[in-house]
């Protein structure tokens, strides 16, 4: 028995003595982490055409209709004459196109704040939806847990399918709502909570889709503030203080009503809006550019027009010559030497030129 006990002690002691073979100490873990975050070289930047002063597309959608392109009377995937409404077939194709072209979705609020977390060699893209239409996230009922069931051919249904198909794709979008939210009174509260809990954002599109160039300051604040109040009651602290301007009005940042859009007093509470989105026509500047103004942002109308009038095809051809291409590090701004005079040096980021 003594021999057995002594043998066991020897085995245990030998195991402890071989700690280096079984358990990594803190220094070893730190060294491995250093290996994981390798410093990129000029050659890496050149091979990936890194340019973090390139332009960023903010796509503007409205309705997504469960139709084939062949079922409409308009060009491509347009459901209406002006291309504000799009078929589900076209929207699915848009997502595939963005992915295959090397674009990766980011949140609008992250773009505004200059936090672009996109892998090396890829480009950021932002999706927005105006009007809070029911076909953005159509609820067909509740499951046995009381969770909403989403129509797979609505915009969110398609986005969720895409999320499953491409797990590496950070699928997200910002939905700008009016007073009717998503036009589904019995489900509106659940929809808002579901969206913010699943990686999507909610913004302000005014209560009645007002034209700001035709109302006074009091109406302006009521239109903006009443929507913020609704969101405050349902998803407090979880919506974005960004407004999509209906019709793009009042069209100019200098318009007197813009002051009341950015600083709104309503029902005894002050709401501060940090960005306003225009109806738009082309891509926006990098948030690191001296040209960047987060208060008044352009968007691309997601429609088809045979490569003309700044449709999707035309815009992405333009972007191929000057698109934002990431270095994969949110803490650095990497730019070609030729753009050194265009970078905002007031930003608290390391700037790397090559």
């Amino acid at each position: 028995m003594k021999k057995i006990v002594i043998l066991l002690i020897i085995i245990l002691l030998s195991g402890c003595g071989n700690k280096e073979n079984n358990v990594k100490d803190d220094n070893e873990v730190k060294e491995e982490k250093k290996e994981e975050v390798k410093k990129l070289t000029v050659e890496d930047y050149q091979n990936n055409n890194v340019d973090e002063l390139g332009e960023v597309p903010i796509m503007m959608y409205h309705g997504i209709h469960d139709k084939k392109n062949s079922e409409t009377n308009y060009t491509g995937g347009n459901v209406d004459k002006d291309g504000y409404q799009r078929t589900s077939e076209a929207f699915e194709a848009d997502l595939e196109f963005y992915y295959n072209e090397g674009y990766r979705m980011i949140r609008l609020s992250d773009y505004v704040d200059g936090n672009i977390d996109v892998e090396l060699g890829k480009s950021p893209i932002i999706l927005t939806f105006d009007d809070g239409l029911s076909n953005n996230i159509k609820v067909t009922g509740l499951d046995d847990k009381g969770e909403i069931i989403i129509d797979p051919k609505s915009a969110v249904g398609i986005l969720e399918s895409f999320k499953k198909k491409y797990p590496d794709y950070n699928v997200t979008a910002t939905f700008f709502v009016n007073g009717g939210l998503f036009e589904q009174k019995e489900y509106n509260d659940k929809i808002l909570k579901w969206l913010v809990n699943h990686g999507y954002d909610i913004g302000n599109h005014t209560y009645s889709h007002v034209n700001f160039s035709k109302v006074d300051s009091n109406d302006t604040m009521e239109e903006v503030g009443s929507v913020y109040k609704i969101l405050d009651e349902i998803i407090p602290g979880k919506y974005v203080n960004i407004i999509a301007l209906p019709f793009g009005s009042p069209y100019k940042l200098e318009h007197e009503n813009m002051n009341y859009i950015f600083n709104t007093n309503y029902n005894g509470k002050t709401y501060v809006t940090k960005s306003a989105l225009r109806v738009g026509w082309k891509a926006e500047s990098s948030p690191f550019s001296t040209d960047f103004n987060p208060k008044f942002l352009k968007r691309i109308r997601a429609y088809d027009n045979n490569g003309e009038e700044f449709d999707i095809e035309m815009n992405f051809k333009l972007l191929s010559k000057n698109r934002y291409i990431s270095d994969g590090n949110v803490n650095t701004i990497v730019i070609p030497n030729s753009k050194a005079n265009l970078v905002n040096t007031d930003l608290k980021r390391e700037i790397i030129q090559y």
Side-chain angles (χ1 to χ4, degrees):
M1 178 62 76
K2 287 182 179 179
K3 289 182 179 180
I4 294 172
V5 172
I6 292 169
L7 181 60
L8 287 171
I9 291 171
I10 291 170
I11 291 170
L12 288 170
L13 288 173
S14 64
C16 293
N18 289 325
K19 178 183 177 182
E20 66 272 16
N21 295 324
N22 300 303
V23 182
K24 296 171 183 174
D25 63 28
D26 290 342
N27 289 330
E28 287 177 306
V29 172
K30 287 176 183 176
E31 285 301 316
E32 283 192 0
K33 286 184 177 178
K34 283 181 183 177
E35 286 297 315
E36 289 173 9
V37 186
K38 291 183 178 178
K39 190 171 179 65
L40 297 178
T41 65
V42 170
E43 187 176 3
D44 291 324
Y45 299 141
Q46 291 172 336
N47 290 340
N48 289 281
N49 298 311
V50 173
D51 180 3
E52 297 190 317
L53 284 185
E55 295 182 330
V56 178
I58 305 174
M59 306 306 298
M60 181 184 70
Y61 288 93
H62 286 72
I64 301 297
H65 298 257
D66 185 11
K67 290 178 178 290
K68 297 288 186 184
N69 293 353
S70 59
E71 295 174 337
T72 79
N73 297 319
Y74 303 99
T75 304
N78 300 341
V79 175
D80 62 328
K81 180 181 177 182
D82 295 319
Y84 286 103
Q85 308 296 318
R86 197 148 179 77
T87 68
S88 56
E89 179 186 7
F91 183 52
E92 289 169 345
D94 292 346
L95 297 182
E96 292 285 352
F97 172 75
Y98 303 148
Y99 185 84
N100 292 328
E101 287 293 305
Y103 286 89
R104 297 294 181 265
M105 294 185 206
I106 65 169
R107 293 180 118 131
L108 174 62
S109 57
D110 284 338
Y111 164 72
V112 171
D113 294 337
N115 296 318
I116 299 185
D117 190 2
V118 176
E119 64 193 271
L120 173 65
K122 304 301 183 185
S123 301
I125 187 170
I126 298 152
L127 268 57
T128 66
F129 290 81
D130 289 4
D131 295 348
L133 301 173
S134 60
N135 58 29
N136 285 176
I137 177 168
K138 181 67 177 176
V139 175
T140 59
L142 301 177
D143 63 17
D144 54 5
K145 295 180 180 178
E147 296 291 328
I148 59 174
I149 300 171
I150 300 168
D151 184 342
K153 285 299 181 180
S154 66
V156 172
I158 293 169
L159 286 166
E160 287 295 294
S161 295
F162 208 74
K163 187 186 292 184
K164 292 176 182 176
K165 184 176 181 180
Y166 297 105
D168 64 318
Y169 208 176
N170 178 40
V171 174
T172 184
T174 301
F175 294 88
F176 291 94
V177 296
N178 302 119
L181 302 179
F182 287 97
E183 305 177 319
Q184 298 163 83
K185 192 172 182 179
E186 67 176 302
Y187 299 124
N188 275 334
D189 286 19
K190 285 182 176 290
I191 289 173
L192 289 178
K193 291 173 183 176
W194 188 95
L195 285 170
V196 298
N197 288 331
H198 286 79
Y200 300 95
D201 287 317
I202 305 296
N204 193 328
H205 198 42
T206 77
Y207 191 85
S208 66
H209 204 272
V210 69
N211 186 330
F212 282 124
S213 64
K214 297 180 179 180
V215 296
D216 63 18
S217 59
N218 289 326
D219 288 337
T220 295
M221 289 192 288
E222 184 172 355
E223 285 285 340
V224 175
S226 55
V227 173
Y228 279 141
K229 182 176 183 294
I230 292 171
L231 299 181
D232 251 346
E233 292 170 350
I234 303 172
I235 47 172
K238 293 185 178 181
Y239 59 89
V240 294
N241 287 67
I242 300 175
I243 186 166
L245 299 168
F247 312 106
S249 70
Y251 315 113
K252 293 182 179 180
L253 194 56
E254 296 76 20
H255 193 284
E256 61 183 357
N257 276 341
M258 291 300 287
N259 293 324
Y260 303 103
I261 291 169
F262 289 123
N263 291 280
T264 302
N265 291 303
Y266 179 74
N267 260 19
K269 186 168 182 178
T270 298
Y271 297 97
V272 177
T273 297
K274 65 180 181 180
S275 297
L277 304 186
R278 302 155 73 178
V279 168
W281 50 295
K282 61 177 293 189
E284 244 314 340
S285 302
S286 161
F288 311 131
S289 168
T290 53
D291 291 333
F292 181 65
N293 184 350
K295 285 200 163 185
F296 206 43
L297 300 172
K298 299 187 293 293
R299 290 185 287 173
I300 293 172
R301 178 159 41 127
Y303 83 122
D304 297 316
N305 194 32
N306 300 312
E308 299 178 350
E309 296 296 325
F310 294 96
D311 68 350
I312 294 174
E313 181 184 345
M314 180 178 177
N315 265 295
F316 280 84
K317 279 184 179 178
L318 293 172
L319 277 163
S320 67
K321 300 173 184 175
N322 185 32
R323 65 194 262 185
Y324 183 114
I325 300 178
S326 177
D327 72 327
N329 187 340
V330 296
N331 298 313
T332 56
I333 303 171
V334 178
I335 58 173
N337 287 321
S338 60
K339 292 188 175 183
N341 64 322
L342 302 176
V343 66
N344 184 353
T345 54
D346 292 334
L347 299 170
K348 294 179 180 179
R349 301 282 179 87
E350 179 186 359
I351 299 172
I352 301 172
Q353 296 174 216
Y354 74 97

